[in-house]
Amino acid sequence: MRPGGSFPARTGRGDWFDRRISPYLMIAPFYVVFGVFGLFPLLYTAWVSLHDWHLINGDEGFVGPANFAELFSDRYFYNALFNTVSIFLLSTVPQLLAALGLAALLSRPLRARTAWRAAVLVPNVVSVAAVALVFSQLFGRDYGVINTMLGVVGIDPVNWQSNRLTAHIAVSVMVMWRWTGYNALLYLAAMQSIPRELYEASTLDGASRWRTFWSITVPGIRPTIIFTVVTATIGGLQLFAEPQLFDASGVNGTGGSGREFQTLTMYLYEHGFSLFDAGYSAAIAWVLFGVSLLFALVNFALVRRIASGD
Amino acid sequence: MRGQPRFITYGLLISVGAASIFPLYWSFVIASRDNSAIAEKTPVLVPGGNLLANIGRVFDTVDFWLALRNSLIVSGTVTLSNVILASIAGFAFARLRFPGRNGLFLVVVGTALVPGHLGVIPLYLLVSDFGWYGRLEAVIVPALVGAFSVFWMRQACEEAVPRDLVDAARVDGCSLWRAFWHAALPAIRPQVAVLAMLTFMATWNDFFWPLVVLDPNDSPTVQVALSRLASGYFTDYSLMLTGATIAVLPVLVAFVLFARRIIDGIMRGAING
């Protein structure tokens, strides 16, 4: 490696140590932290889910798959599963389409380019707790700004929390508000790396803007679209803060008086930290993991096909 | 590009921008008025003069000083340690040759894809065993260095640290650590700043884990304190939204100061990622 013999001073033990050991020391902290606080809990979840396990009192005996069996005949579980998937679809599909459109707008030559980009990114730096609090007021039944605006076009005040569909819409709006701009910036970055010649060729062919967008831009940013769909899936299926705080009783709530908007993570939280049933909660965690994995794979395949441009 | 008149482009952008800003502005307006403002027939859109009084009431209702202090300690420590540990690890992954490097890096990428809430129950049991329930260690230590940070800094080193410079430093007899300090660190400083901002904001805004493992009365972070304001015992809306405004303000200020760099960082990450 080194030119032979020019630097005799550097053949000591320090050199050997630096070459053989130091690189591993430099990357070790990550693996230690992940091993203790990431990997171990992950594996331990499987163990806990096979036990009757009280959060405070600890292990109360091995029960095998009983927690899972109970879960699969628990209607509140199916309710939470349905809510999670419904809110996920209602928030993700419009969000990513809007982000695509917004990215197309931002990619035009604009005055004050950075200011526009900053403006659409602002919601993303606001904490979920604050978002939930503010939007719960905006969606208030009696004095909410949104009901007032609907009143202007002649729609009666909506009691957003009391009905499954309206509650899902309200929660989805919070998610969309927070993430659309961020995803638009990711798309914008990807759009800018598409070679200009492709567009010029398309213009020469006389293709319309709309066509050019769908046959060149969208396929050109396919990897980014796949990335956003997968992250939105993993994040969306874990949704917690927005619906939890949308409930008028705050963090103690179960997603509305009839669990209209209780998601799987909220159900996990209820069993783990309100009812102290750690075993059952761990079983929910595993099912949640399975569902996330399934959705991530299905979405991955779906987007690959849709965005291929053929 | 040719096509639609510019006013349509700007018109659309203005409505998107307004939708982004309005909830925050409105929250600030309600925070600066008394509680009756929210019940007005037409929504109130002009700030009033009650902001300081409301802030005072927030601090009387929940211990927001303690919450702010806790959030600062947690976010500051987590940011500092992520920046240091991830820069060193990123440098090693990008610029050193050692057996198993690629496989080990794949592990880093893989861990970023695991849903965070999955291990929350055992993590809680573990942290309680350590005696950390209700203590800030519980939220700091598991977050000391994350996969995203390592990934980010490796990317930064790949881009910005010249290979020759590191080799030259090594040949000149610098130890590895000095090569890192003198050759790598100056080159990656801008990306370090962006990572620091992103980590600070993410930690400041974190909600689920602090809610689970901290004591809302004794050791809240700002977000946990905020959720207490929303918990049904209070129906004082200007109080709630004042709390939200205070919680948002620090990251908002930081964002405005560093917007250009943060946007650059996110967009560059999008292409490389």
Side-chain angles (χ1 to χ4, degrees):
Chain A
M1 316 233 175
R2 265 188 298 111
S6 327
F7 305 96
R10 293 289 299 158
T11 50
R13 263 179 92 181
D15 197 38
W16 174 86
F17 188 83
D18 255 11
R19 209 183 293 287
R20 291 274 167 233
I21 307 295
S22 288
Y24 296 104
L25 284 182
M26 294 172 107
I27 61 172
F30 169 79
Y31 297 94
V32 173
V33 170
F34 175 72
V36 175
F37 299 104
L39 188 62
F40 169 72
L42 220 61
L43 302 175
Y44 203 45
T45 303
W47 181 244
V48 173
S49 72
L50 300 174
H51 289 73
D52 255 338
W53 199 301
H54 188 274
L55 191 73
I56 313 294
N57 304 340
D59 190 356
E60 293 174 339
F62 184 83
V63 294
N67 282 321
F68 290 94
E70 197 184 331
L71 191 62
F72 288 127
S73 56
D74 176 351
R75 67 193 178 92
Y76 289 151
F77 162 71
Y78 289 105
N79 172 62
L81 180 63
F82 173 81
N83 290 341
T84 307
V85 173
S86 159
I87 294 172
F88 163 69
L89 291 176
L90 278 174
S91 60
T92 308
V93 175
Q95 178 200 146
L96 295 183
L97 288 175
L100 263 181
L102 185 54
L105 281 179
L106 288 169
S107 71
R108 296 183 188 174
L110 295 173
R111 268 170 225 271
R113 219 175 47 172
T114 306
W116 292 115
R117 292 176 185 181
V120 303
L121 192 60
V122 158
N124 194 248
V125 308
V126 178
S127 75
V128 279
V131 170
L133 216 62
V134 173
F135 275 79
S136 296
Q137 300 313 319
L138 288 173
F139 279 106
R141 186 192 57 189
D142 298 323
Y143 312 122
V145 173
I146 290 171
N147 273 350
T148 309
M149 273 159 53
L150 291 177
V152 173
V153 291
I155 298 173
D156 286 337
V158 178
N159 189 357
W160 295 90
Q161 270 100 341
S162 70
N163 169 294
R164 195 180 291 271
L165 179 65
T166 54
H168 289 192
I169 290 174
V171 172
S172 301
V173 167
M174 298 184 208
V175 178
M176 283 180 64
W177 183 75
R178 193 149 182 267
W179 287 103
T180 304
Y182 177 83
N183 284 320
L185 286 190
L186 297 189
Y187 291 157
L188 174 62
M191 282 176 188
Q192 288 174 343
S193 62
I194 297 176
R196 286 208 83 76
E197 301 85 69
L198 287 180
Y199 285 112
E200 280 154 18
S202 168
T203 313
L204 282 181
D205 287 349
S208 70
R209 271 176 91 102
W210 183 249
R211 236 201 93 110
T212 309
F213 184 73
W214 286 105
S215 62
I216 292 180
T217 310
V218 171
I221 63 172
R222 197 175 69 163
T224 309
I225 295 181
I226 292 177
F227 173 78
T228 56
V229 167
V230 171
T231 47
T233 306
I234 293 174
L237 295 177
Q238 292 191 87
L239 193 68
F240 175 76
E242 289 93 338
Q244 187 81 7
L245 293 174
F246 189 53
D247 191 315
S249 42
V251 289
N252 304 313
T254 53
S257 51
R259 297 173 189 263
E260 288 89 349
F261 46 97
Q262 183 175 47
T263 62
L264 277 176
T265 304
M266 288 167 73
Y267 197 49
L268 182 160
Y269 180 81
E270 183 191 353
H271 271 278
F273 300 104
S274 301
L275 305 173
F276 300 125
D277 190 349
Y280 200 65
S281 193
I284 300 174
W286 270 105
V287 174
L288 178 59
F289 181 57
V291 172
S292 306
L293 208 62
L294 190 72
F295 264 78
L297 286 174
V298 169
N299 287 340
F300 177 75
L302 210 65
V303 173
R304 238 165 93 112
R305 189 174 292 173
I306 291 174
S308 65
D310 301 328
Chain B
M1 273 189 238
R2 78 214 147 82
Q4 288 161 16
R6 299 176 66 81
F7 72 88
I8 293 186
T9 304
Y10 282 103
L12 285 170
L13 278 175
I14 287 170
S15 30
V16 173
S20 294
I21 310 286
F22 175 74
L24 296 176
Y25 175 73
W26 179 78
S27 165
F28 168 73
V29 167
I30 299 297
S32 68
R33 288 179 160 259
D34 62 39
N35 200 28
S36 68
I38 202 155
E40 297 279 340
K41 274 239 156 44
T42 48
V44 181
L45 294 177
V46 185
N50 274 7
L51 183 63
L52 290 178
N54 284 335
I55 290 177
R57 288 196 307 131
V58 168
F59 283 91
D60 289 341
T61 310
V62 290
D63 197 344
F64 234 80
W65 281 123
L66 180 66
L68 279 171
R69 198 196 64 143
N70 285 343
S71 276
L72 266 179
I73 294 175
V74 171
S75 307
T77 316
V78 168
T79 301
L80 196 67
S81 92
N82 264 278
V83 162
I84 294 171
L85 296 175
S87 301
I88 295 171
F91 170 71
F93 275 125
R95 284 295 173 263
L96 303 179
R97 294 169 216 98
F98 53 92
R101 184 182 70 172
N102 294 341
L104 284 167
F105 186 67
L106 266 183
V107 172
V108 175
V109 176
T111 62
L113 294 174
V114 178
H117 294 172
L118 178 58
V120 67
I121 294 286
L123 188 57
Y124 177 90
L125 297 172
L126 182 74
V127 162
S128 305
D129 274 351
F130 289 170
W132 289 351
Y133 175 81
R135 298 169 58 96
L136 297 184
E137 288 95 317
V139 283
I140 293 175
V141 179
L144 281 177
V145 53
F148 173 79
S149 308
V150 174
F151 183 80
W152 181 272
M153 288 322 303
R154 189 196 85 118
Q155 208 70 49
C157 290
E158 284 284 3
E159 271 175 28
V161 179
R163 234 173 244 283
D164 307 348
L165 202 62
V166 176
D167 289 345
R170 302 279 284 127
V171 170
D172 283 348
C174 279
S175 79
L176 209 48
W177 301 94
R178 287 187 53 196
F180 167 74
W181 190 259
H182 293 291
L185 205 53
I188 56 176
R189 212 171 280 158
Q191 290 299 74
V192 167
V194 178
L195 177 66
M197 280 301 311
L198 294 176
T199 310
F200 188 90
M201 293 194 298
T203 314
W204 182 273
N205 288 343
D206 198 15
F207 178 62
F208 186 64
W209 179 237
L211 175 72
V212 165
V213 84
L214 295 180
D215 185 331
N217 299 310
D218 284 344
S219 60
T221 60
V222 168
Q223 310 307 329
V224 176
L226 201 56
S227 73
R228 292 239 315 135
L229 284 180
S231 65
Y233 305 116
F234 309 101
T235 47
D236 186 335
Y237 300 112
S238 61
L239 190 71
M240 283 185 204
L241 294 182
T242 306
T245 305
I246 300 173
V248 167
L249 217 54
V251 282
L252 213 54
V253 169
F255 176 73
V256 170
L257 289 177
F258 296 100
R260 190 181 297 268
R261 275 200 170 165
I262 294 173
I263 291 167
D264 270 3
I266 289 174
M267 290 181 62
R268 198 160 349 145
I271 296 171
N272 297 322

